[in-house]
Amino acid sequence: MSAATAAISEQAPIPEDNSHPAQAKPALRDEGAKLGFRLTLPAQILVLFIALFPLLMQLYISLTDWSPLSGLGWWSAWSLWNNFANYTDLAADARFWSALKRTAIVMIVCVPAEFLLGLALATLFADEFPGKRIFYSILLMPMMVVPAVAGYMFFMLFQSGGPVNDILSALSGFPVTIAWLSDPTLALIAVMLADIWQWTPLMFLILLAGLVGVPEDQIKAATLLGANPWQRFVTIVLPKMKTIIIIALAIRVIENFKIFDTLYIMTGGGPGVATETISVYIYKLTTQDLIWGYVAAIALAILIVLSIAAVFAMKRMARAREVSA
Amino acid sequence: MSAIHLQNLVKKFSDFTALKTMDLAIADGEFMALLGPSGCGKSTTMNMIAGMEEPTSGKILFGERDMEGVPMARRGVGFVFQNYAIFSHMSVRQNLAYGPKMRGAPKAEIDRRVGAIAEMLQLTPLLDRKADRLSVNILQRVAIGRSAIMEPAIFLLDEPLSNVDAAFRAVMRTELKQLQRQFRQTMVYVTHDQLEAMTMADRIAVMDHGVLQQVGTPLEVYNNPANVFVARFIGAPGMNLLRGRPAESDRGLVIDLGPLGVTPPLPAEIADAVRGAPGDVLYGFRPEQVTLAEGGRGLSLPVTFVERIGARTIVHLGQGESAVKAVFDNDVGLAIGLTAVVAPAVHSVRVFDAGTGRAIKAGG
Ligand SMILES: Nc1ncnc2c1ncn2[C@@H]1O[C@H](COP(=O)(O)OP(=O)(O)O)[C@@H](O)[C@H]1O
Ligand SMILES: [Mg+2]
């Protein structure tokens, strides 16, 4: 168009970051930092102690054969030093690796299922419909049920004479008497269903918060430009929800990795070891086998793996935020 | 095809009526400005034309076609939102390409169209920039480009320039007008800024409190306001309105303004109409059409304030009911405390019914 517009094409100056006004006076800032350090020192020491002490204690014990039955205080565990045997045992512990694999399977099934269900429900609840408030309350209830109670509930549901089989009988017309919790595969499925029931609401809640935050006028603009509902969802809604989706998935992945309470009450890890996840295995080693040195080694190994994963996820999250801000 | 007819259009939000029976015919290829103060129902009208809101009653026709039940995606309107609604997670290029892409245009064609529109709006160097890092001025162009690329027959713009800076606004006024001349779309332009409406529109629809006050060319609306609201709203400053009572004199019909004395005789054309009007009237004249009557006949008023705005000087005279503004050249020798005798140009005088606020027109 006109020549006058050439001048406008350049970018507006990006506002400078003024959030650190003290940077202008380094001397003053150093003073402030020193005072701040001194004031927070007691708290820092406390936090360091809380975080570091158990870790160091764990590391120490994990290098020994110490157990509460050894008759020694944990601090004298050095006399039971075993030359890293716990770690070499761990590498060769088939039961550990199969528990890890099972935990991974549960995670790979449950987290995506919870995510997709939660997203579908959130999409539904982003619009108005009659009875929305009541359904909303009902939907959030599983999250509030004490896991132990949920465990007993599902234990009862999946008995061979329980309601699940009754419903299947009614639907199929044949008497169904599946022994859910005694079949290795079905028990794992039952446990996963319980987890999905219990944790989809949390996913739903987080995703709904993200969904209502998507600017409505951008959705209208997309509609006017001819995007159909699916295209709008993929091109506008999902990209805008990226950060919150990553957060929701991260929370559930971490939580699901530690799956224990409901599952343990339903199956106790059985039949056999069919539903034995990492947490159940550790629990058994701690309370039944009482080999605490070995438990410490497992816990430490998992902590390290999870920490690496968390750092990685956090980096990705920070980058996503940068991109979508 | 792309003429727009609004027939008895009404919009209520629960018990609040945002728009009261709007009737408006916008011709194919016309640039129509909807002008009015904030909250008068301009956006509501636009949103109904675009299909984002359902009218409570009344009809919207595009050409002959009733738009009731036609979803917004199929109305073929371009819409520029007041806050632009740019897809902030995309680049400028992705924003511009969005419409054609969603409608499944081939890649080569999308590239060509994006290139052309970017060239026209001087966005080419910015194509690969993220939209969230751009200034308002640029966002505004992207918003126009994103709609214009669809070559809509009807283009709706909701206060597109209200957020940009003054210098850019002047540039965009010219450009939008050129854009519309080039493509001949039917353009509906919402604004609360009369300068934008006056400079760009073929016709202006002035609205207030959900009621259409007057439709006309910018000059019609300026010269012959249909009522007191339009008279005061159009023009900067708006028309002077003084309350008085018609009175016969030996020179013809005059208005007795009470303490301000009597006006010069009314032009013969409107004198007859005013004679037929019951009760008090408002004597109106534009501040720009006032001369200093040195020692002669006119309204004698104390100067209360002098506003110098560069080329012009706005002199405030009198107070309260008899407040009058007059615009003079910047060398006018008036100062606070002096008394000025001002005379409105006879041809510029308009008279309004004080009761209804309507203009009293010759022959009507
Ligand atoms: N969705 C809505 N619900 C209730 N009132 C609304 C809604 N949209 C607009 N209004 C009201 O209708 C009136 C006209 O609004 P609008 O058309 O946006 O005015 P404007 O002329 O400033 O664009 C305003 O008083 C506004 O508060
Ligand atoms: Mg508005």
Side-chain angles (χ1 to χ4, degrees), chain A:
Chain A
M1 287 185 206
S2 70
T5 58
I8 320 147
S9 309
E10 96 250 10
Q11 190 198 15
I14 295 170
E16 274 169 44
D17 188 358
N18 287 329
S19 54
H20 307 293
Q23 267 170 356
K25 293 178 181 170
L28 202 65
R29 192 187 57 160
D30 286 355
E31 274 306 297
K34 259 183 222 159
L35 179 64
F37 179 72
R38 265 180 246 138
L39 286 175
T40 56
L41 193 60
Q44 300 257 17
I45 290 171
L46 192 68
V47 168
L48 204 69
F49 198 69
I50 291 169
L52 213 59
F53 178 75
L55 208 66
L56 289 175
M57 177 181 169
Q58 206 178 1
L59 180 65
Y60 173 52
I61 292 173
S62 78
L63 297 169
T64 69
D65 274 334
W66 186 79
S67 131
L69 299 181
S70 62
L72 290 170
W74 67 267
W75 53 89
S76 344
W78 55 269
S79 58
L80 300 170
W81 174 269
N82 67 6
N83 265 328
F84 304 99
N86 287 335
Y87 290 95
T88 47
D89 286 355
L90 181 60
D93 183 351
R95 196 168 154 197
F96 167 76
W97 291 108
S98 81
L100 192 63
K101 197 177 91 191
R102 215 170 284 119
T103 310
I105 289 169
V106 169
M107 187 193 292
I108 286 163
V109 173
C110 288
V111 176
E114 285 156 19
F115 171 72
L116 291 176
L117 278 172
L119 191 60
L121 286 168
T123 311
L124 197 66
F125 274 75
D127 288 327
E128 290 300 322
F129 59 87
K132 177 170 158 175
R133 294 169 73 104
I134 296 167
F135 284 116
Y136 185 77
S137 312
I138 293 174
L139 205 56
L140 293 190
M141 237 147 30
M143 218 169 58
M144 329 255 183
V145 174
V146 179
V149 174
Y152 276 114
M153 218 166 78
F154 276 88
F155 176 77
M156 300 306 287
L157 283 175
F158 283 108
Q159 291 306 301
S160 32
V164 171
N165 282 345
D166 289 348
I167 291 170
L168 290 178
S169 308
L171 288 177
S172 66
F174 298 99
V176 178
T177 52
I178 302 171
W180 286 91
L181 299 179
S182 346
D183 178 279
T185 312
L186 293 180
L188 198 62
I189 290 174
V191 158
M192 292 196 286
L193 284 174
D195 190 76
I196 292 167
W197 175 83
Q198 209 173 358
W199 294 111
T200 296
L202 179 69
M203 205 59 120
F204 158 73
L205 206 58
I206 300 175
L207 294 176
L208 182 63
L211 200 59
V212 296
V214 177
E216 202 178 335
D217 49 4
Q218 293 188 27
I219 294 179
K220 279 186 185 160
T223 313
L224 283 164
L225 289 168
N228 63 35
W230 176 249
Q231 286 174 321
R232 291 200 293 272
F233 187 72
V234 173
T235 59
I236 312 288
V237 177
L238 275 186
K240 299 257 176 223
M241 286 178 69
K242 198 160 141 190
T243 309
I244 210 129
I245 286 173
I246 293 173
I247 291 171
L249 287 176
I251 290 176
R252 279 310 298 145
V253 162
I254 291 168
E255 283 294 307
N256 192 271
F257 188 82
K258 301 185 287 188
I259 184 168
F260 179 75
D261 30 28
T262 307
L263 179 151
Y264 191 76
I265 287 166
M266 281 175 73
T267 66
V273 293
T275 57
E276 189 174 275
T277 58
I278 285 291
S279 292
V280 175
Y281 182 45
I282 291 179
Y283 177 76
K284 285 181 182 166
L285 289 177
T286 312
T287 57
Q288 293 165 15
D289 304 75
L290 295 165
I291 40 175
W292 286 22
Y294 188 50
V295 169
I298 297 182
L300 211 57
I302 289 171
L303 182 69
I304 289 165
V305 172
L306 273 190
S307 301
I308 291 169
V311 168
F312 181 74
M314 236 120 92
K315 275 207 178 123
R316 292 249 10 207
M317 225 147 84
R319 206 165 57 220
R321 223 190 338 265
E322 213 167 80
V323 172
S324 67

Side-chain angles (χ1 to χ4, degrees), chain B residues 13 16 18 37-44 53:
Chain B
F13 293 109
F16 173 75
S38 263
C40 71
K42 306 180 298 284
S43 295
T44 304
E53 302 260 18

Side-chain angles (χ1 to χ4, degrees), chain A residues 5 11 217 235 240 323 325, chain B residues 83 88 98 129-130 132 175:
Chain A
T5 58
Q11 190 198 15
D217 49 4
T235 59
K240 299 257 176 223
V323 172
Chain B
N83 61 1
S88 51
Y98 193 83
R129 288 273 266 284
K130 270 304 281 300
D132 63 343
E175 293 206 354

Side-chain angles (χ1 to χ4, degrees), chain B residues 14-218:
Chain B
S14 56
D15 57 352
F16 173 75
T17 308
L19 195 65
K20 295 167 195 143
T21 39
M22 173 103 160
D23 274 290
L24 185 62
I26 304 168
D28 189 5
E30 187 174 29
F31 194 134
M32 174 68 84
L34 297 185
L35 176 65
S38 263
C40 71
K42 306 180 298 284
S43 295
T44 304
T45 308
M46 288 280 265
N47 294 347
M48 286 193 287
I49 297 175
M52 286 188 280
E53 302 260 18
E54 287 283 314
T56 307
S57 66
K59 269 189 184 175
I60 298 168
L61 305 179
F62 286 1
E64 297 295 305
R65 187 160 170 227
D66 190 345
M67 283 292 122
E68 191 181 338
V70 179
M72 54 175 155
R74 287 217 218 98
R75 294 199 178 191
V77 300
F79 197 106
V80 175
F81 288 78
Q82 195 164 355
N83 61 1
Y84 313 136
I86 291 298
F87 306 136
S88 51
H89 58 290
M90 298 182 192
S91 67
V92 171
R93 184 192 303 280
Q94 287 167 323
N95 267 281
L96 293 178
Y98 193 83
K101 199 171 165 195
M102 291 304 117
R103 296 198 189 252
K107 174 106 179 40
E109 191 202 322
I110 296 177
D111 287 347
R112 184 182 56 73
R113 279 162 74 182
V114 168
I117 208 95
E119 200 55 43
M120 192 172 77
L121 290 168
Q122 316 235 335
L123 288 169
T124 312
L126 302 167
L127 273 177
D128 292 310
R129 288 273 266 284
K130 270 304 281 300
D132 63 343
R133 303 276 164 87
L134 297 172
S135 71
V136 186
N137 294 358
I138 305 293
L139 290 180
Q140 206 273 334
R141 290 166 164 268
V142 177
I144 289 173
R146 188 177 66 179
S147 292
I149 200 168
M150 304 298 288
E151 296 174 6
I154 293 172
F155 212 148
L156 309 174
L157 297 103
D158 192 351
E159 310 217 16
L161 302 184
S162 63
N163 297 330
V164 304
D165 50 66
F168 185 69
R169 208 176 297 170
V171 174
M172 279 316 288
R173 280 205 301 269
T174 335
E175 293 206 354
L176 277 171
K177 188 66 195 165
Q178 279 171 4
L179 188 78
Q180 196 255 349
R181 284 225 182 85
Q182 194 173 338
F183 290 103
R184 286 261 129 231
Q185 319 97 322
T186 308
M187 197 106 137
V188 185
Y189 186 101
V190 162
T191 180
H192 63 258
D193 179 349
Q194 52 170 304
L195 188 62
E196 286 173 23
M198 288 294 212
T199 50
M200 286 189 280
D202 296 322
R203 286 195 301 156
I204 300 177
V206 186
M207 297 172 66
D208 184 39
H209 283 100
V211 178
L212 182 60
Q213 305 286 329
Q214 186 175 4
V215 188
T217 65

